[in-house]
Each structure stands twice: as C-alpha cells, then as structure tokens.
C-alpha cells in the first residue's frame, strides 16, 4: 500500500497555522512594543527604586524576548509539519500553543518587573 492511502493529505491543513499566524504575529508585536516602552514607567524614579526597576526589567525583558522567540519557533513548526491527516492533531496543538506562549510571556514579563 502506498503512503497516500495510509496517510492521506489533509485538505485544509493550512487553516490552523494561518489563523494562528494572524493572531500570534500581531500579539507578539504588541507585546514587544509594550515591553519596549515599559522603561518609561520609571522615568521619574531615582536611587534604589530605579535600580530595582532596572534589574527586574532586565530579567523580565529577557523572559519576554525568549518567549516571543519560542512562540515564533512553535508557529514555524506548525507550518512545517507535513500536510497529512496523521499530523492534524499535532498541527492544531502547535497552532494553539503559539499565541498561548505569547500570552504567558507577557504575563511572566509583567510579574517579573518591579513596577514603580
């Protein structure tokens, strides 16, 4: 038997990664913009408060950037799976995971930063 009979092509395999892309990329852009503008929250800070904010922001920024890169990798993985029926569940899981990673990254960033 051929592979085509055992594992047929999924006709709409592109739909889940496309929807995920349309959600993930704007959300990641907004998260990056928010994170990049966040240091302005402590413009009027000085002394120990500014130092605490800077230290916590650096850690939060690293977590945010790592999470956004991870979401991009998950998104690319959802697109790169073979478009076969056997990979449909994995493709759907990866497509849901990409925007979820962005959301978790933003929450982690906000929790790590010691806001003034």
């Amino acid at each position: 038997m051929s592979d085509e009979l055992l594992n047929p092509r999924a006709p709409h395999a592109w739909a889940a990664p496309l929807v995920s892309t349309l959600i993930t990329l704007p959300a990641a852009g907004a998260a990056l913009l928010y994170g990049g503008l966040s240091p302005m929250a402590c413009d009027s800070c000085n002394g120990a408060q500014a130092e605490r904010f800077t230290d916590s922001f650096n850690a939060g920024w690293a977590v945010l950037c790592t999470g956004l890169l991870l979401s991009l990798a998950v998104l690319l993985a959802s697109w790169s799976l073979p478009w076969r029926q056997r990979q449909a569940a994995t493709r759907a899981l990866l497509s849901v995971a990409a925007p979820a990673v962005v959301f978790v990254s933003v929450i982690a960033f906000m929790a790590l930063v010691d806001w003034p």
Side-chain angles (χ1 to χ4, degrees), residues 12 18 28 30 39 42 44 50 54 62 70 78 80-81 89 93 102 106 112-113:
H12 299 291
L18 178 64
C42 198
S44 63
T54 301
L70 180 62
S78 73
S80 65
L81 284 174
L93 179 68
V102 172
V106 170
L112 285 172
V113 175

Side-chain angles (χ1 to χ4, degrees), residues 28-96:
L32 198 58
L33 180 66
Y34 178 77
L37 293 176
S38 291
M40 291 191 305
C42 198
D43 276 348
S44 63
C45 299
N46 55 25
Q49 185 181 23
E51 190 172 324
R52 275 194 322 272
F53 176 79
T54 301
D55 291 341
S56 66
F57 175 79
N58 289 339
W61 180 252
V63 168
L64 179 65
C65 290
T66 302
L68 294 180
L69 287 174
L70 180 62
S71 71
L72 179 63
V74 171
L75 186 63
L76 289 174
S78 73
W79 277 106
S80 65
L81 284 174
W83 292 15
R84 301 291 180 179
Q85 289 289 342
R86 189 180 313 165
Q87 283 81 21
T90 306
R91 185 178 306 103
L93 179 68
L94 290 172
S95 296
V96 169

